[in-house]
Amino acid sequence: MALIVQKYGGTSVGSPERIMNVARKVMATKQAGNDVIVVVSAMSGETNRLIELSKQIDPNPDLREYDVLVATGEQVTIALLSMALNKLGCPARSYTGAQVRILTDSTYSKARILDIDEANVRADLQAGRVVVVAGFQGSDEQGNITTLGRGGSDTTGVALAAALKADECQIYTDVDGVYTTDPRVVPNARRLDRITFEEMLEMASLGSKVLQIRSVEFAGKYSVKLRVLSSFEEGPGTLITYEEQNMEQPLISGIAFNRDEAKITMLGVPDQPGVAYKILGPVGDANIEIDMIIQNVGADATTDFTFTVHRNDHQKALKILDKVAKELGARELNGDANIVKVSLVGVGMRSHAGVASTMFKTLAREGINIRMISTSEIKISVVVDEKYLELAVRALHDAFGLDKAPAA
Ligand code: ASP
Ligand code: MG
């Protein structure tokens, strides 16, 4: 008998009809002879609605209370789904995160899971029941309710699968798998049969929002077999797994992009030890995440510095750096919020040269100016003007033949 963890996202449980539909899918899995644990999100839009309510009371609410509030969305769906299962004649029981107990640290609004007590869950499985667990939440050592950050139900699913050594963790969502890129930008984007944890991490962190990043990290660390599937259509979905040694890896698996970037350039700063720290230190101290960084080769004892931040942090970062630029006697400080990052991701890059040159040639042919470049073992990213995003992604998708299935 296999143990399957199934996680259903907000749209999959967005109405009573959809909850009944989920119940039927869960029951079918159970009747096929599996033990089933189901993790659900709140009904679609509910978490946003709750956050909006809290903002009307206080834009920066007490985070303990924020977690008490936003954790309620999932309590609704676990109860409704369990009712639906019981009504269908499939015995089920619901648990909040605290009831399981999913023990977390006390970092309200973005807590991390420390431990999972499996006793309740095991006992129910043994008694032939489906166990329905609220995603996105847990409780800390003192019993305070905590939440795991937006999209955290994915992480609940993977963590339960890891703790109970499930045979597979299935993430049901409104898309039927992980695609070579966003099909809204490239209509002939292709569903991937499989992708490695490493690639998925890059795709997720680069703005492909199918899975919460932390859930992928977790799955990689604990070797959880993870599959993304549609709750509305039948299909194999995408398996997220290890790199198989004997398998020929495609050169590029996907193209990720991020519209939320902004660029800051400081020109003519003294080319001396400690300058990078003087510029980036205060930005980091203000809790602003820095992404790409480029320092030019110095000339005339000065150099130029360019880096990117999240667009939401752009003005704040510029304000901090205005002061720094004066202190350093920089010649000029400027910002550009109309840029995007486009990245090629693929483990096959490791063993093949020429990916970068094909990328640059393709962009040149389209007349797209590259503003920044950065590379890592399995990724090449470029920053380009926002208006070229669609063109760049489509041209690259075409150039690397991502619409065609790789030869088996
Ligand atoms: N309901 C939470 C959210 O919307 C958690 C989740 O759905 O994964 O972020
Ligand atoms: Mg989600």
Side-chain angles (χ1 to χ4, degrees), residues 48-362:
N48 287 342
R49 187 184 74 87
L50 295 167
I51 293 173
E52 199 40 56
L53 278 175
S54 79
K55 279 193 184 145
Q56 287 178 34
I57 300 285
D58 183 351
N60 293 303
D62 181 288
L63 290 177
R64 181 186 182 279
E65 305 315 323
Y66 170 93
D67 276 359
V68 172
L69 174 71
V70 297
T72 59
E74 274 75 8
Q75 191 168 335
V76 171
T77 47
I78 53 169
L80 291 174
L81 179 59
S82 300
M83 286 176 195
L85 283 162
N86 285 318
K87 172 145 188 275
L88 292 174
C90 180
R93 202 175 252 185
S94 69
Y95 289 90
T96 65
Q99 282 176 314
V100 166
R101 161 167 222 214
I102 296 177
L103 178 71
T104 72
D105 64 18
S106 306
T107 326
Y108 298 120
S109 85
K110 43 174 191 278
R112 286 187 175 262
I113 297 176
L114 301 175
D115 191 32
I116 293 182
D117 180 358
E118 37 174 309
N120 286 327
V121 178
R122 286 263 184 235
D124 278 322
L125 293 176
Q126 244 139 44
R129 282 190 280 265
V130 168
V131 178
V132 182
V133 178
F136 176 56
Q137 54 176 267
S139 63
D140 71 4
E141 201 69 70
Q142 285 76 42
N144 298 301
I145 292 173
T146 54
T147 65
L148 309 177
R150 297 308 305 272
S153 298
D154 296 339
T155 301
T156 304
V158 173
L160 277 165
L164 284 108
K165 303 194 173 47
D167 296 279
E168 190 166 305
C169 179
Q170 304 173 340
I171 307 279
Y172 285 88
T173 176
D174 47 1
V175 292
D176 67 347
V178 179
Y179 275 68
T180 48
T181 194
D182 187 338
R184 283 168 301 191
V185 171
V186 182
N188 63 356
R190 189 172 46 81
R191 181 184 54 78
L192 295 161
D193 286 326
R194 52 199 300 147
I195 184 169
T196 67
F197 288 116
E198 266 181 299
E199 289 170 323
M200 190 61 220
L201 270 181
E202 292 288 0
M203 294 289 278
S205 64
L206 293 167
S208 157
K209 293 182 185 70
V210 191
L211 286 171
Q212 196 197 33
I213 294 177
R214 214 190 275 176
S215 73
V216 184
E217 285 168 3
F218 222 102
K221 189 161 162 200
Y222 295 99
S223 327
V224 174
K225 207 169 148 195
L226 190 60
R227 193 183 290 278
V228 174
L229 318 110
S230 162
S231 36
F232 305 109
E233 308 163 26
E234 293 296 317
T238 300
L239 181 67
I240 301 158
T241 182
Y242 284 105
E243 200 171 326
E244 279 172 30
Q245 294 311 323
N246 53 0
M247 227 170 95
E248 181 71 25
Q249 299 292 342
L251 206 51
I252 303 298
S253 289
I255 303 175
F257 52 82
N258 190 350
R259 301 177 199 263
D260 299 327
E261 303 245 340
K263 185 160 72 81
I264 293 175
T265 303
M266 207 185 279
L267 296 165
V269 294
D271 194 7
Q272 289 163 3
V275 167
Y277 176 67
K278 277 186 191 142
I279 296 172
L280 300 177
V283 178
D285 290 344
N287 261 324
I288 296 173
E289 242 177 86
I290 296 158
D291 184 17
M292 278 192 207
I293 306 172
I294 290 178
Q295 184 189 337
N296 283 357
V297 176
D300 314 329
T302 70
T303 187
D304 305 332
F305 235 89
T306 304
F307 57 94
T308 62
V309 294
H310 193 283
R311 226 175 255 188
N312 291 344
D313 292 326
H314 192 221
Q315 289 308 321
K316 191 170 153 198
L318 276 174
K319 219 159 131 193
I320 294 169
L321 289 167
D322 207 35
K323 220 176 114 221
V324 177
K326 286 194 184 100
E327 282 163 16
L328 289 174
R331 179 156 37 85
E332 197 183 319
L333 175 72
N334 54 52
D336 185 352
N338 299 315
I339 54 135
V340 291
K341 183 168 75 171
V342 176
S343 309
L344 300 180
V345 176
V347 290
M349 250 184 239
R350 280 201 195 109
S351 47
H352 286 86
V355 174
S357 75
T358 305
M359 182 183 205
F360 304 153
K361 187 172 71 191
T362 306

Side-chain angles (χ1 to χ4, degrees), residues 25-36 90 125 128-130:
K25 287 179 80 83
V26 171
M27 188 158 113
T29 311
K30 173 82 183 136
Q31 283 176 342
N34 302 296
D35 278 340
V36 190
C90 180
L125 293 176
R129 282 190 280 265
V130 168

